Amino acid sequence: MKVKSIGFRNFRNLNESVVSTDAKVIVVEGRNGVGKTSFLECVYSSLLLSSFRTSRLSDAIRHDAPYCQMRCSVNKNGSQYEVFAYCDRDRKTIKVNDESITGYGKLFSLFSAAVMSYDDKKIISSGPEERRRYVNQLSCFIDAGLADAIRSYSAILRERNKAVKEKRADVLDALDEKIASIGFRIVDERRKLIPFLEEYVNGICRNVFSIPGKLGIELKSNCDVVDAMEYDRLLKYSRPKDDVLACTSIGPHRDDLIFRYEGRLVRDEFSTGQIRLLSIMLKLALIDMISDMAGYSPIVLVDDVLLELDEEKKHLVFQYLLKYRQVFYTFLPQESFYRDYCDDMLVYEIKDGRIGGDENGR
């Protein structure tokens, strides 16, 4: 998959522009705070109508504008797609080849984009929500139908939590049947996915970074059930506890991932540098799995991730990602190691939201 061009208006601090991205490697250089990450976010948002920086795409609208819009031209497995995305303060829409797309399942079946960012270390060092977000992203790109299932689950969960607080047993009976069906599907897909994830991460650990030993990944779930009927019974059994907590106490929204290296708990025993490297391996595994299981290469967006790595690992990651059809990078002006790795490269410079440079002036 390749984004051949991207156009945007009123997107954060970026000046309105149309930028050619028809190359294997796209590099955006600039000092901190000039718009490098915003450019990667714009590429991501134009494909998936969401942001990797905030929960609301409307937050990306320039402060003095009523809306933002993005256009991009995409080639995927020989097919051409023209994408138009629009967002104002109240709504957002996306059209692909002039057809309105409703539902994230359809969108995830068309496009995928994987982000590697400084915040990836939160997958390991922060709370369970970050790890669920990581697993959800991986699951949805591999099985696009899960995107709509996860959104439906969240909506029903909000209804159920409200019914629990209001002690509406009659409403809970109906909601439990719905949430059990969707919740079981989500948990079951996660259980199937984790062994593959573990295999991919360990392969990268050995073959890319030459690190011995084994990383274990365990799904910690409080609804380890065999089917939706058992899930429904478990929900009813948990109602007294739910009444005390005033919320739903079991379900995939409580899942977590536990990482162990040679039996040792990673979160407690790994250094900051080791956690950073493991978070990179988790993202590389995600990209590999999407490519292998979804059947096409996702767009890869790398935002200042390489800066904290030593020179050897920096080169290893850059070289590894060259196997994908298109990778976007952000770099500070003094970084130049990447220039000899690939001839099919466009380099742009951002200053105060203005994008300049190639083609092929660099």
Side-chain angles (χ1 to χ4, degrees), residues 149-218:
I150 290 170
R151 289 176 68 85
S152 296
Y153 178 86
S154 297
I156 299 171
L157 180 64
R158 287 192 294 270
E159 289 185 57
R160 190 183 190 278
N161 286 340
K162 181 181 178 182
V164 168
K165 291 176 183 177
E166 296 174 353
K167 302 188 183 303
R168 295 284 306 278
D170 56 327
V171 176
L172 285 174
D173 287 339
L175 290 176
D176 282 358
E177 186 175 348
K178 291 181 181 179
I179 206 169
S181 175
I182 301 173
F184 174 74
R185 179 186 175 190
I186 295 169
V187 172
D188 194 47
E189 289 299 322
R190 287 177 180 173
R191 283 192 300 225
K192 294 174 183 176
L193 197 62
I194 297 307
F196 290 102
L197 175 61
E198 183 177 283
E199 181 181 343
Y200 272 78
V201 174
N202 279 289
I204 291 168
C205 194
R206 291 189 306 270
N207 301 327
V208 180
F209 297 102
S210 301
I211 299 174
K214 182 180 179 181
L215 178 77
I217 305 177
E218 172 193 346

Side-chain angles (χ1 to χ4, degrees), residues 9 41 52 55 59 62 96 98 103 126 140 164 189 192 206 217 254 269 281 289 297 300 326 336 343 355:
R9 175 183 295 170
E41 181 188 17
F52 61 81
S55 60
D59 291 341
R62 199 179 66 205
V96 179
D98 291 325
S126 292
C140 291
V164 168
E189 289 299 322
K192 294 174 183 176
R206 291 189 306 270
I217 305 177
R254 299 279 184 169
E269 300 200 23
M281 289 192 286
M289 290 178 72
S297 174
V300 182
Q326 189 174 51
S336 60
D343 293 330
I355 300 177

Side-chain angles (χ1 to χ4, degrees), residues 69-125:
Q69 66 182 44
M70 298 80 73
R71 293 181 182 272
C72 66
S73 180
V74 179
N75 183 278
K76 175 189 168 187
N77 292 346
S79 297
Q80 192 69 22
Y81 300 91
E82 300 300 325
V83 185
F84 174 75
Y86 170 91
C87 178
D88 60 30
R89 306 293 177 183
D90 301 312
R91 66 187 180 96
K92 56 184 181 179
T93 60
I94 189 166
K95 290 184 177 182
V96 179
N97 292 341
D98 291 325
E99 177 188 349
S100 294
I101 304 297
T102 57
Y104 278 89
K106 175 66 173 176
L107 203 53
F108 276 63
S109 71
L110 288 172
F111 309 127
S112 64
V115 181
M116 299 177 67
S117 75
Y118 178 84
D119 286 339
D120 288 343
K121 63 182 180 181
K122 292 180 181 178
I123 298 171
I124 300 162
S125 60

Side-chain angles (χ1 to χ4, degrees), residues 5 21 28-29 33 38 60 75 103 106 113 135 138 161 172 188 194 201 209 218 234 266 304 340 348:
S5 66
T21 55
V28 181
E29 292 182 341
S38 294
N75 183 278
K106 175 66 173 176
V135 174
L138 176 59
N161 286 340
L172 285 174
D188 194 47
I194 297 307
V201 174
F209 297 102
E218 172 193 346
L234 190 59
V266 166
D304 283 346
D340 296 328
Y348 293 101

